[in-house]
Amino acid sequence: MTQNLDQEGEPLDRTELLKRSRLEEDELDALIDIGLIRPIRDSVVFPPEAGIVAMEAKRLMEQGLEVRHLRTVRLSAEREADLLEQLVAPLLKASNPEARVRAKDVLESTSDSVQAMHRALLASELRQHLKT
């Protein structure tokens, strides 16, 4: 399944994000403070994927992780995005619309590969922890 980089779903306001995720106000504020959840531009509206991030962050916090630990997840995603951005940088600098479409196609397909590698490597690391 190819990653779709077009925004899917409706943006969420703070009330809806809290309701869907079951986060407390202070938990959401902490996630925003570390940049794990970001409003759209400088608004109080969040992109649709913020709902998934908030729900999964809540699940991880219920398992004992603290908000500060979740910063690692954000940093990992940022590093992966930066790596793929380097791949398409020449296309993004081009002035023709076809290059931008090609860049989007490359990002969608390569992000699938990075996600698959990430899942496999994480599974391997976790299996090693279970053996020790």
Side-chain angles (χ1 to χ4, degrees), residues 12-25 28 51 54-55 58:
L12 305 169
D13 64 20
R14 185 179 179 91
T15 303
E16 184 63 24
L17 188 56
L18 288 166
K19 180 180 169 186
R20 285 189 189 185
S21 66
R22 300 179 353 264
L23 286 167
E24 300 295 328
E25 292 270 353
L28 178 56
M55 286 187 287
K58 180 67 173 180

Side-chain angles (χ1 to χ4, degrees), residues 115-125 127:
Q115 287 177 17
M117 286 178 62
H118 185 97
R119 283 190 304 275
L121 291 167
L122 179 59
S124 176
E125 289 295 320
R127 275 194 298 278

